[in-house]
Amino acid sequence: MDDHDHSKKEIFSGDFRYVLEDVPHLIDYLPNLSAYPNPLLNNNSAYSATEQYFVNMDDVVAQKIVVEKNSLSGAYFRLAGPRQKVFFEPEDVRACIVTCGGLCPGLNTVIREIVGGLNHMYGVHKIVGIEGGYKGFYGENTISLTPKSVNNIHKRGGTILGTSRGGHNTSNIVDSIQDRGINQVYILGGDGTQKGAAAIYEEIRRRGLKVAVVGIPKTIDNDIPVIDKSFGFDTAVEEAQRAIDAAHVEAESNENGIGLVKLMGRNSGFIAMYACLASRDVDCCLIPESPFYLEGEGGLFEYIEHCLEKQGHMVIVIAEGAGQELVSKSTQKADQLDASGNKLHQDVGSWISQQIKNHFEEKGTIPINLKYIDPTYMIRAVPSISSDNIFCTLLAHSAIHGAMAGYTGFTVGPVNGQHVYIPFHRIIERQNKVAITDRMWARLLCSTNQPSFLDPKHITKASY
């Protein structure tokens, strides 16, 4: 049995049965820890007007909100929020924050709200930022973080702490945490970063250290499982529409104009799908989950010809991970990995632009005007919009409440609209992908009126 299986607790009540996907607590391996009354009760005016201060210990949230009448069993997670007892006295807390991986709108907002939440809610004043990702732990790269120093950082993109891929050395990182006297670690990053956070937690537990390790999942692609969505996604969709609007103007303004936009989505096409649904100006959306082909009946080239003949212009959106098997076959380049171990994708946007141009030049019947737009790095670098700012605040506060209550080895996120604590293994076990048998993809196909480009063998089971 894996270590994480011990966190699953089967609970029975009459005919009702469910599995609590519990998260570790410091007292699991430090049973003699002292608990203290939560300082929110008496010292925080912001909470004095609330009807209920604290989350009940038994409050849980269902992973699946729609279940069959005769099968009510399922997985549940602990509801996030402040508890009546905390396991850290505020004056003893020394917290650190680190950002890893690629940029994403909202990183600075999360940093700001962790610092402000620790300070204003719990009276924690010793907070440092680790600069440059995981590698910063075993360098001397730290900056002091105060509510004043982070006051306006949410208005700009990127991360004030800097970031990097790779550089994870569990032993060195935990040595640094121990040497610096840090006892709360907040780690912002994607699935590779969360795997690193899980390893850090396991080493801290092995050493018997009183250190809470908290992950805040970050991926602009929205490809982290279990949670409803990740921060920065709404901003990415909003910004992606601007690129689609520009492509539409270019296409409409030229005879036989084609506007081609490449968007983020290495393995998951959520940004492309949602941006196309929001835009309504897109004629074809290509994502990694839905194979497509170029030549022949029912292929992309035939559909482009159909659109140009029918309306005189066309807008195509392609996610960066779409069609990689076609590019690899054409270029015969071996797969490469980045510092985080992610597969490096080739530039499918440039490749497919050239393939479309070559096709119409060889055919010689329709002179096209193709404009290619790649806004990916611009989208990653913008400040987050209002809905993401609110979301980032909720994530940060939920993470703080969990750490102060002694929970550790968990990540935080919304499940069915409620913020919960999720064990690391559930976040890193797989990637979230667009289900092309789902009704949302069907809505996309109806919006664009594009063919599915699927052979019948690819269609398996409908999802409702």
Side-chain angles (χ1 to χ4, degrees):
M1 181 181 290
D2 294 337
D3 288 342
H4 61 68
D5 288 337
H6 296 296
S7 66
K8 293 186 178 183
K9 300 176 181 177
E10 292 196 5
I11 298 173
F12 299 84
S13 178
D15 295 332
F16 187 72
R17 168 181 172 269
Y18 70 89
V19 176
L20 174 61
E21 295 272 5
D22 210 355
V23 296
H25 196 281
L26 290 171
I27 60 173
D28 293 343
Y29 62 94
L30 297 171
N32 297 320
L33 276 186
S34 299
Y36 314 95
N38 194 316
L40 290 174
L41 183 61
N42 299 315
N43 301 335
N44 193 285
S45 59
Y47 277 76
S48 63
T50 59
E51 183 176 346
Q52 181 178 336
Y53 290 118
F54 305 113
V55 172
N56 291 323
M57 290 301 296
D58 295 329
D59 288 348
V60 295
V61 175
Q63 180 176 359
K64 291 184 178 180
I65 200 167
V66 178
V67 297
E68 295 180 10
K69 181 176 66 173
N70 297 323
S71 178
L72 296 177
S73 61
Y76 289 71
F77 301 100
R78 285 197 180 274
L79 181 65
R83 267 59 177 172
Q84 289 186 342
K85 297 290 184 181
V86 297
F87 285 79
F88 293 94
E89 293 198 89
E91 60 269 22
D92 295 333
V93 173
R94 183 170 177 80
C96 77
I97 307 169
V98 63
T99 54
C100 305
L103 293 181
C104 176
L107 280 169
N108 278 334
T109 307
V110 176
I111 294 168
R112 181 188 189 274
E113 297 308 314
I114 291 174
V115 174
L118 281 169
N119 189 286
H120 300 314
M121 290 192 298
Y122 286 100
V124 172
H125 302 294
K126 289 174 275 189
I127 310 165
V128 296
I130 306 297
E131 293 186 301
Y134 276 138
K135 289 182 284 191
F137 273 106
Y138 41 93
E140 294 299 323
N141 307 324
T142 61
I143 56 174
S144 177
L145 299 174
T146 66
K148 183 177 181 180
S149 70
V150 301
N151 188 45
N152 292 311
I153 63 173
H154 63 294
K155 297 177 182 178
R156 49 185 157 124
T159 163
I160 62 163
L161 300 179
T163 186
S164 65
R165 295 191 183 277
H168 184 273
N169 183 306
T170 303
S171 181
N172 287 351
I173 290 171
V174 177
D175 286 345
S176 175
I177 290 169
Q178 201 167 356
D179 292 343
R180 298 172 195 256
I182 291 169
N183 52 20
Q184 288 187 10
V185 183
Y186 297 90
I187 301 173
L188 285 62
D191 54 354
T193 301
Q194 300 301 313
K195 288 176 184 176
I200 290 169
Y201 156 70
E202 292 293 346
E203 177 63 14
I204 283 172
R205 178 174 182 142
R206 189 187 70 79
R207 298 189 190 187
L209 303 178
K210 184 188 176 183
V211 179
V213 180
V214 183
I216 298 179
K218 176 234 58 166
T219 170
I220 202 169
D221 294 344
N222 199 39
D223 60 359
I224 289 180
V226 181
I227 61 176
D228 297 342
K229 67 176 179 179
S230 52
F231 75 84
F233 177 72
D234 284 353
T235 304
V237 171
E238 187 75 23
E239 289 297 314
Q241 282 187 82
R242 303 181 195 276
I244 293 172
D245 290 345
H248 184 244
V249 169
E250 287 284 354
E252 224 178 14
S253 301
N254 289 279
E255 183 181 6
N256 295 319
I258 299 174
L260 175 64
V261 180
K262 185 181 81 172
L263 296 176
M264 293 81 68
R266 287 184 307 190
N267 302 297
S268 303
F270 288 102
I271 292 176
M273 180 175 69
Y274 277 81
C276 291
L277 279 167
S279 168
R280 305 289 174 176
D281 287 329
V282 177
D283 301 291
C284 185
C285 177
L286 303 171
I287 61 172
E289 296 90 338
S290 184
F292 66 94
Y293 54 99
L294 302 179
E295 308 276 358
E297 184 179 353
L300 180 62
F301 291 155
E302 182 183 80
Y303 180 56
I304 294 173
E305 292 171 11
H306 166 75
C307 287
L308 294 180
E309 289 171 4
K310 182 181 178 181
Q311 60 194 28
H313 67 275
M314 183 181 189
V315 176
I316 303 170
V317 169
I318 186 165
E320 61 184 318
Q324 286 296 316
E325 69 285 350
L326 299 177
V327 186
S328 298
K329 185 177 179 180
S330 172
T331 59
Q332 296 183 339
K333 288 185 178 179
D335 291 341
Q336 294 179 306
L337 303 178
D338 65 16
S340 297
N342 300 311
K343 182 179 177 182
L344 281 173
H345 289 319
Q346 298 178 59
D347 187 353
V348 69
S350 296
W351 179 83
I352 205 166
S353 295
Q354 194 58 53
Q355 298 300 309
I356 294 170
K357 290 176 183 177
N358 292 344
H359 170 78
F360 283 96
E361 285 175 6
E362 291 170 6
K363 194 163 185 179
T365 54
I366 305 175
I368 64 167
N369 289 283
L370 188 147
K371 300 293 188 295
Y372 172 47
I373 299 174
D374 180 358
T376 52
Y377 287 104
M378 294 175 63
I379 293 173
R380 285 182 171 94
V382 300
S384 51
I385 62 174
S386 56
S387 61
D388 269 325
N389 278 333
I390 295 168
F391 184 17
C392 289
T393 300
L394 297 178
L395 286 171
H397 286 193
S398 295
I400 292 166
H401 292 315
M404 290 298 295
Y407 292 109
T408 181
F410 71 90
T411 192
V412 63
V415 173
N416 290 323
Q418 297 290 327
H419 282 243
V420 300
Y421 299 138
I422 307 165
F424 279 135
H425 73 89
R426 288 302 312 275
I427 290 293
I428 62 181
E429 65 188 1
R430 62 178 179 85
Q431 284 187 311
N432 194 28
K433 293 181 181 290
V434 173
I436 58 173
T437 54
D438 187 79
R439 284 190 293 179
M440 186 59 79
W441 183 243
R443 294 182 185 110
L444 182 280
L445 297 179
C446 289
S447 173
T448 61
N449 203 30
Q450 71 188 67
S452 69
F453 301 117
L454 280 177
D455 292 328
K457 64 183 180 182
H458 290 134
I459 301 174
T460 54
K461 180 182 176 183
S463 175
Y464 297 100

